[in-house]
Short mmCIF file of all heavy atoms in Angstrom, two decimals:
data_model
loop_
_atom_site.label_atom_id
_atom_site.label_comp_id
_atom_site.label_asym_id
_atom_site.label_seq_id
_atom_site.Cartn_x
_atom_site.Cartn_y
_atom_site.Cartn_z
N GLU A 27 115.86 -170.95 -149.78
CA GLU A 27 114.81 -171.75 -150.43
C GLU A 27 113.49 -171.56 -149.68
O GLU A 27 113.46 -170.89 -148.63
CB GLU A 27 115.19 -173.22 -150.45
CG GLU A 27 115.23 -173.90 -149.10
CD GLU A 27 114.97 -175.40 -149.21
OE1 GLU A 27 113.94 -175.80 -149.77
OE2 GLU A 27 115.80 -176.18 -148.70
N THR A 29 110.98 -174.45 -149.60
CA THR A 29 110.34 -175.73 -149.22
C THR A 29 110.49 -176.01 -147.73
O THR A 29 109.53 -176.43 -147.08
CB THR A 29 110.92 -176.89 -150.06
OG1 THR A 29 110.67 -176.62 -151.44
CG2 THR A 29 110.25 -178.20 -149.70
N ILE A 30 111.69 -175.78 -147.19
CA ILE A 30 111.86 -176.09 -145.75
C ILE A 30 110.95 -175.26 -144.85
O ILE A 30 110.61 -175.70 -143.76
CB ILE A 30 113.31 -175.97 -145.22
CG1 ILE A 30 113.97 -174.64 -145.58
CG2 ILE A 30 114.17 -177.12 -145.60
CD1 ILE A 30 115.29 -174.43 -144.78
N LEU A 34 105.65 -178.53 -146.12
CA LEU A 34 106.34 -179.74 -146.60
C LEU A 34 107.68 -179.96 -145.90
O LEU A 34 108.24 -181.05 -145.95
CB LEU A 34 106.60 -179.64 -148.11
CG LEU A 34 105.38 -179.49 -148.99
CD1 LEU A 34 105.80 -179.32 -150.44
CD2 LEU A 34 104.47 -180.69 -148.85
N GLY A 35 108.20 -178.91 -145.26
CA GLY A 35 109.54 -179.01 -144.67
C GLY A 35 109.52 -179.17 -143.17
O GLY A 35 110.21 -180.01 -142.61
N LYS A 87 105.26 -178.28 -154.15
CA LYS A 87 106.72 -178.28 -154.25
C LYS A 87 107.14 -177.99 -155.69
O LYS A 87 106.61 -178.58 -156.63
CB LYS A 87 107.15 -179.68 -153.80
CG LYS A 87 108.61 -179.97 -153.78
CD LYS A 87 108.81 -181.37 -153.11
CE LYS A 87 110.18 -181.93 -153.34
NZ LYS A 87 110.36 -183.26 -152.73
N THR A 106 109.89 -173.48 -153.43
CA THR A 106 111.03 -173.92 -154.23
C THR A 106 111.98 -174.81 -153.45
O THR A 106 112.35 -174.51 -152.32
CB THR A 106 111.78 -172.69 -154.77
OG1 THR A 106 111.99 -171.76 -153.70
CG2 THR A 106 110.99 -172.00 -155.87
N THR A 107 112.38 -175.90 -154.09
CA THR A 107 113.40 -176.79 -153.52
C THR A 107 114.78 -176.19 -153.81
O THR A 107 114.89 -175.12 -154.42
CB THR A 107 113.33 -178.17 -154.19
OG1 THR A 107 113.68 -178.00 -155.56
CG2 THR A 107 111.95 -178.80 -154.08
N VAL A 108 115.81 -176.91 -153.43
CA VAL A 108 117.17 -176.45 -153.70
C VAL A 108 117.36 -176.22 -155.20
O VAL A 108 117.90 -175.19 -155.62
CB VAL A 108 118.21 -177.46 -153.15
CG1 VAL A 108 119.61 -177.13 -153.66
CG2 VAL A 108 118.17 -177.46 -151.63
N SER A 109 116.91 -177.15 -156.03
CA SER A 109 117.18 -177.01 -157.48
C SER A 109 116.54 -175.74 -158.03
O SER A 109 117.19 -174.97 -158.76
CB SER A 109 116.74 -178.25 -158.26
OG SER A 109 115.35 -178.41 -158.26
N THR A 125 120.44 -173.37 -147.38
CA THR A 125 119.35 -174.33 -147.24
C THR A 125 119.58 -175.14 -145.96
O THR A 125 120.50 -174.85 -145.20
CB THR A 125 119.28 -175.25 -148.48
OG1 THR A 125 118.19 -176.17 -148.32
CG2 THR A 125 120.56 -176.04 -148.70
N GLY A 126 118.74 -176.16 -145.73
CA GLY A 126 118.97 -177.08 -144.62
C GLY A 126 119.86 -178.21 -145.13
O GLY A 126 121.07 -178.23 -144.92
N GLY A 127 119.22 -179.13 -145.84
CA GLY A 127 119.97 -180.24 -146.44
C GLY A 127 119.61 -180.36 -147.90
O GLY A 127 118.48 -180.02 -148.30
N ILE A 128 120.54 -180.82 -148.71
CA ILE A 128 120.24 -181.01 -150.13
C ILE A 128 119.61 -182.38 -150.35
O ILE A 128 119.77 -183.29 -149.54
CB ILE A 128 121.50 -180.88 -151.02
CG1 ILE A 128 122.57 -181.90 -150.60
CG2 ILE A 128 122.04 -179.46 -150.99
CD1 ILE A 128 123.64 -182.15 -151.66
N GLY A 129 118.91 -182.53 -151.47
CA GLY A 129 118.47 -183.85 -151.92
C GLY A 129 119.67 -184.54 -152.57
O GLY A 129 120.69 -183.90 -152.86
N GLY A 130 119.53 -185.84 -152.80
CA GLY A 130 120.66 -186.57 -153.40
C GLY A 130 120.19 -187.85 -154.05
O GLY A 130 119.03 -187.95 -154.48
N HIS A 132 118.83 -191.42 -153.92
CA HIS A 132 118.06 -192.18 -152.93
C HIS A 132 118.57 -193.62 -152.82
O HIS A 132 119.08 -194.18 -153.78
CB HIS A 132 116.57 -192.16 -153.29
CG HIS A 132 115.92 -190.86 -152.94
ND1 HIS A 132 115.06 -190.71 -151.88
CD2 HIS A 132 116.05 -189.63 -153.50
CE1 HIS A 132 114.68 -189.45 -151.80
NE2 HIS A 132 115.25 -188.76 -152.77
N ASP A 140 115.76 -192.88 -158.53
CA ASP A 140 115.46 -191.59 -157.89
C ASP A 140 116.74 -190.84 -157.48
O ASP A 140 117.40 -191.20 -156.51
CB ASP A 140 114.57 -191.83 -156.67
CG ASP A 140 113.96 -190.54 -156.14
OD1 ASP A 140 114.42 -189.44 -156.54
OD2 ASP A 140 113.02 -190.62 -155.33
N SER A 142 117.81 -186.80 -156.87
CA SER A 142 117.24 -185.46 -156.77
C SER A 142 117.80 -184.54 -157.85
O SER A 142 119.00 -184.55 -158.15
CB SER A 142 117.55 -184.86 -155.40
OG SER A 142 117.10 -183.53 -155.35
N ALA A 143 116.91 -183.72 -158.39
CA ALA A 143 117.33 -182.70 -159.37
C ALA A 143 118.24 -181.66 -158.72
O ALA A 143 118.88 -180.87 -159.43
CB ALA A 143 116.10 -182.02 -159.96
N ASP A 144 118.33 -181.66 -157.40
CA ASP A 144 119.25 -180.74 -156.72
C ASP A 144 120.68 -180.93 -157.24
O ASP A 144 121.42 -179.95 -157.40
CB ASP A 144 119.27 -181.00 -155.20
CG ASP A 144 117.98 -180.60 -154.51
OD1 ASP A 144 117.08 -180.07 -155.19
OD2 ASP A 144 117.88 -180.84 -153.28
N LYS A 161 120.45 -185.77 -145.71
CA LYS A 161 119.92 -186.72 -144.73
C LYS A 161 120.44 -188.12 -145.01
O LYS A 161 120.57 -188.51 -146.17
CB LYS A 161 118.40 -186.75 -144.83
CG LYS A 161 117.79 -185.47 -144.34
CD LYS A 161 116.89 -185.77 -143.16
CE LYS A 161 116.41 -184.47 -142.55
NZ LYS A 161 115.92 -183.53 -143.57
N PHE A 191 123.18 -184.08 -141.85
CA PHE A 191 122.04 -183.28 -141.42
C PHE A 191 121.89 -183.25 -139.91
O PHE A 191 122.46 -182.38 -139.28
CB PHE A 191 120.77 -183.79 -142.12
CG PHE A 191 119.66 -182.77 -142.17
CD1 PHE A 191 119.68 -181.73 -143.07
CD2 PHE A 191 118.59 -182.87 -141.31
CE1 PHE A 191 118.67 -180.79 -143.11
CE2 PHE A 191 117.55 -181.93 -141.34
CZ PHE A 191 117.60 -180.90 -142.25
N GLY A 259 108.83 -190.87 -155.68
CA GLY A 259 109.00 -189.57 -156.35
C GLY A 259 109.16 -188.42 -155.38
O GLY A 259 109.73 -188.56 -154.31
N ALA A 260 108.61 -187.27 -155.78
CA ALA A 260 108.79 -186.04 -155.00
C ALA A 260 108.16 -186.12 -153.61
O ALA A 260 108.49 -185.34 -152.71
CB ALA A 260 108.19 -184.85 -155.75
N THR A 263 110.67 -187.28 -149.87
CA THR A 263 111.36 -186.43 -148.88
C THR A 263 110.41 -185.86 -147.83
O THR A 263 110.65 -186.03 -146.63
CB THR A 263 112.20 -185.34 -149.60
OG1 THR A 263 113.17 -186.00 -150.43
CG2 THR A 263 112.92 -184.45 -148.62
N LEU A 267 110.58 -186.92 -143.83
CA LEU A 267 110.84 -185.85 -142.85
C LEU A 267 109.78 -185.86 -141.76
O LEU A 267 110.08 -185.76 -140.57
CB LEU A 267 110.83 -184.48 -143.53
CG LEU A 267 111.98 -184.18 -144.48
CD1 LEU A 267 111.82 -182.81 -145.11
CD2 LEU A 267 113.30 -184.28 -143.75
N ASN A 282 116.71 -179.42 -136.60
CA ASN A 282 116.52 -178.88 -137.96
C ASN A 282 116.61 -177.35 -137.96
O ASN A 282 117.27 -176.74 -138.81
CB ASN A 282 115.15 -179.34 -138.46
CG ASN A 282 115.06 -179.38 -139.97
OD1 ASN A 282 115.75 -178.63 -140.65
ND2 ASN A 282 114.22 -180.22 -140.48
N1 PSU B 11 115.99 -182.00 -146.91
C1 PSU B 11 115.49 -181.53 -145.74
N2 PSU B 11 114.39 -180.75 -145.73
C2 PSU B 11 113.78 -180.39 -146.90
C3 PSU B 11 114.34 -180.86 -148.13
C4 PSU B 11 115.44 -181.66 -148.08
O1 PSU B 11 116.02 -181.84 -144.70
O2 PSU B 11 112.77 -179.68 -146.86
C5 PSU B 11 113.73 -180.41 -149.41
C6 PSU B 11 114.68 -179.41 -150.10
O3 PSU B 11 113.90 -178.36 -150.65
C7 PSU B 11 115.32 -180.24 -151.20
C8 PSU B 11 114.17 -181.16 -151.55
O4 PSU B 11 115.75 -179.46 -152.30
O5 PSU B 11 113.60 -181.51 -150.31
C9 PSU B 11 114.63 -182.38 -152.30
O6 PSU B 11 113.51 -183.08 -152.75
P1 PSU B 11 113.66 -184.31 -153.78
O7 PSU B 11 114.32 -185.40 -152.99
O8 PSU B 11 112.25 -184.64 -154.20
O9 PSU B 11 114.50 -183.81 -154.91
#
Side-chain angles (χ1 to χ4, degrees):
E27 68 153 305
T29 301
I30 50 168
L34 300 177
K87 181 172 165 181
T106 47
T107 65
V108 169
S109 67
T125 181
I128 58 162
H132 283 254
D140 193 347
S142 175
D144 291 357
K161 291 241 173 47
F191 202 77
T263 299
L267 291 178
N282 204 332

